[in-house]
Amino acid sequence: MFKDTLSSQIKPTDAQLQDYFNQHRASYRVPEKRSATVLVVDRAKVSDSIAVSDDQLHAAYNSNIDSFRTPERVQVRHILLTTTGKSKAEVAELRKKAEDLLRQLKAGADFAELAKKNSQDPGSAVNGGDLGWIVKGQTVKAFEAAAFSLKPKELSGIITTEYGFHIIQVMDHQAAHVRSFDEVKTELTDNLKKQQVNDRMQALGDQAQAELSKAPQNAHQIAQKLGLTVITAQNLGATDPVPGLVSPQLSSTIASLPANGVGAPVPIGNEKLAVAVCTGVQPSRAAELGDVLNQVRAQYSAAEVMRLEREYGARAAADLKSGKDIQAIARELHVDVKTPAPFASVDAVEGFGPAGALGDIFSKPAGTVVGPSMVSNKTLVGKIVEAIPADQSLLAAQREAIAGQIRSRKTQEATTMFEDSIRQKLTQEG
């Protein structure tokens, strides 16, 4: 196999590259490119410019008062010993353990520490048994009845549910109420500001698009007037990103614009909105060598590798047929010799690929030179070292499997012929 060795040997001169380019000049073109100016609406910048007044907050609070109603709720923690799938004896032991834990708690033991060490509720044990705030209908009936009957800091007895034995402690208990303005002011401010920022960003994007459409040459002045950031991009290909704005949608928008055309606002993630104006279009043109030098070098090298592979392969095959030692040939050509384990026609040959790609070698005797052949994109030249005949004693045992393979192949061939005949008949009949 020569490809890896040959690739490192190809060092084309400038003259060779120029000659190769001249021979294939018609296949090289510089694709159409565009330059653009992009106006960017930045969420953080817009957010800093917006202040929410108390009057706006009170108006929002009063108009959405129902959304601030809170049902009766308790903040609760528990220790759970699960009885699911346990025998009566195991349940009895767990009951004793629950009673012991309850005695420790009543004697002043730390609830959170006991919960971390003993509770079998994986969701809350790591948090010291804390379930947070719960409302009615959120837990099973027995647990709910106990939790809502306890006073803050009060311990329950052993509560039995379908999950097991619980020890419950209520940390706080709130009656149903409407949360006050002061309670929700921060939440209201965040939500109202977020909505205003979204609206303001869209308005700025729409305004930028409208003003650019009237005066595309005034992008910088429009950006300064609206407080937007300006990014200038030169000679963009159809899928090239705008510097600092990785967005296939924006790239696609720019690629579709004519000179002085303005695109609709394009969201860049959740933080930016971009409006692009095309400032110039470079039509596709025939390439010069400097435009495609790397592409030409790669293609020249690939073509040279293929040519040398054929040359080396033919030389190696001729030397092998003349009786020259394969190891000596390999040293001269700076390639390795590999000797795979014996293989059958249906095998994959280690280091090469499917044996079927080697042609009719299974009908040839030992000593036959194989190749040059292209196997798995590599040129192979070799010699059959040993031809091992089939073991006829195994035929009886494998007869049915072989017959099945033959039947399957014949069925596939017949099906293909039948389908072709039907297709031809239908085509003729229109």
Side-chain angles (χ1 to χ4, degrees):
M1 296 181 294
F2 310 107
K3 189 177 296 293
D4 296 338
T5 301
L6 295 176
S7 295
S8 62
Q9 296 178 18
I10 308 300
K11 294 180 173 57
T13 65
D14 291 345
Q16 288 172 323
L17 292 175
Q18 183 68 60
D19 184 58
Y20 184 87
F21 173 74
N22 291 339
Q23 294 176 38
H24 302 84
R25 182 184 290 271
S27 63
Y28 295 109
R29 293 194 65 80
V30 175
E32 183 179 77
K33 293 188 176 183
R34 284 172 168 73
S35 296
T37 299
V38 182
L39 276 55
V40 182
V41 186
D42 187 277
R43 177 178 294 278
K45 194 172 181 180
V46 173
S47 181
D48 290 342
S49 70
I50 291 178
V52 181
S53 68
D54 279 352
D55 287 344
Q56 289 175 306
L57 291 173
H58 278 290
Y61 176 77
N62 291 328
S63 63
N64 295 281
I65 193 73
D66 287 341
S67 66
F68 301 117
R69 297 187 184 278
T70 300
E72 181 185 11
R73 62 179 187 167
V74 290
Q75 184 181 4
V76 65
R77 57 185 179 179
H78 78 143
I79 296 172
L80 168 64
L81 301 180
T82 59
T83 57
T84 306
K86 299 291 194 301
S87 66
K88 289 184 178 180
E90 289 173 320
V91 170
E93 288 299 318
L94 287 169
R95 176 81 189 196
K96 289 179 182 178
K97 181 175 180 179
E99 290 170 347
D100 179 60
L101 290 172
L102 183 58
R103 281 193 293 271
Q104 293 181 54
L105 290 169
K106 288 180 176 179
D110 185 278
F111 193 104
E113 286 301 315
L114 284 183
K116 288 178 182 178
K117 293 177 181 178
N118 298 278
S119 180
Q120 295 171 328
D121 176 5
S124 68
V126 293
N127 298 318
D130 191 2
L131 292 171
W133 291 97
I134 65 171
V135 298
K136 290 183 177 179
Q138 193 173 338
T139 63
V140 294
K141 290 297 183 182
F143 189 100
E144 176 186 292
F148 281 87
S149 66
L150 294 171
K151 298 175 182 177
K153 309 302 181 185
E154 186 178 1
L155 282 170
S156 71
I158 307 299
I159 307 301
T160 303
T161 72
E162 50 266 53
Y163 299 108
F165 301 121
H166 305 256
I167 301 172
I168 301 171
Q169 185 178 43
V170 168
M171 307 304 294
D172 199 358
H173 191 146
Q174 290 183 349
H177 68 288
V178 176
R179 295 160 67 196
S180 69
F181 174 79
D182 288 337
E183 285 181 276
V184 301
K185 183 176 181 180
T186 300
E187 178 185 332
L188 263 177
T189 301
D190 291 343
N191 291 339
L192 201 58
K193 190 169 186 177
K194 182 178 179 180
Q195 183 58 52
Q196 289 189 24
V197 168
N198 289 340
D199 293 344
R200 179 61 177 156
M201 286 182 69
Q202 190 60 54
L204 284 170
D206 292 342
Q207 188 175 353
Q209 181 187 10
E211 296 197 20
L212 282 171
S213 297
K214 295 176 183 177
Q217 71 280 5
N218 294 338
H220 285 80
Q221 296 92 316
I222 294 169
Q224 185 174 16
K225 170 187 171 183
L226 300 179
L228 308 182
T229 303
V230 178
I231 297 177
T232 301
Q234 300 292 334
N235 300 325
L236 296 174
T239 59
D240 292 342
V242 174
L245 298 175
V246 180
S247 167
Q249 184 181 354
L250 179 60
S251 298
S252 176
T253 296
I254 293 173
S256 67
L257 295 174
N260 294 319
V262 179
V266 175
I268 312 295
N270 295 319
E271 301 303 316
K272 291 180 173 66
L273 200 63
V275 181
V277 54
C278 177
T279 56
V281 178
Q282 292 185 12
S284 175
R285 60 177 174 81
E288 295 300 327
L289 178 59
D291 298 320
V292 291
L293 181 58
N294 290 336
Q295 183 182 353
V296 170
R297 180 178 284 109
Q299 292 178 346
Y300 172 88
S301 298
E304 277 297 287
V305 167
M306 290 181 65
R307 182 185 68 79
L308 290 174
E309 273 195 288
R310 290 192 294 269
E311 180 182 310
Y312 278 32
R315 173 181 162 187
D319 286 347
L320 273 176
K321 289 176 181 178
S322 70
K324 193 169 183 177
D325 179 66
I326 193 170
Q327 296 290 349
I329 298 171
R331 284 193 296 271
E332 290 176 9
L333 299 179
H334 304 289
V335 296
D336 295 328
V337 173
K338 295 187 178 180
T339 306
F343 54 87
S345 60
V346 295
D347 292 338
V349 185
E350 182 182 358
F352 301 121
L358 299 176
D360 61 346
I361 65 169
F362 291 93
S363 64
K364 306 296 183 183
T368 300
V369 173
V370 178
S373 301
M374 185 66 73
V375 181
S376 300
N377 201 32
K378 297 177 181 178
T379 300
L380 168 71
V381 175
K383 180 183 284 188
I384 300 174
V385 176
E386 183 182 10
I388 305 171
D391 187 347
Q392 297 297 326
S393 66
L394 300 176
L395 178 60
Q398 298 180 7
R399 179 182 296 276
E400 186 56 37
I402 295 171
Q405 293 174 1
I406 294 172
R407 284 194 296 271
S408 178
R409 185 173 69 250
K410 287 184 175 294
T411 298
Q412 183 60 49
E413 291 171 352
T415 301
T416 301
M417 291 176 62
F418 176 70
E419 290 174 348
D420 287 344
S421 66
I422 293 294
R423 190 177 295 109
Q424 291 174 11
K425 179 176 175 56
L426 292 174
T427 301
Q428 290 169 358
E429 294 178 352

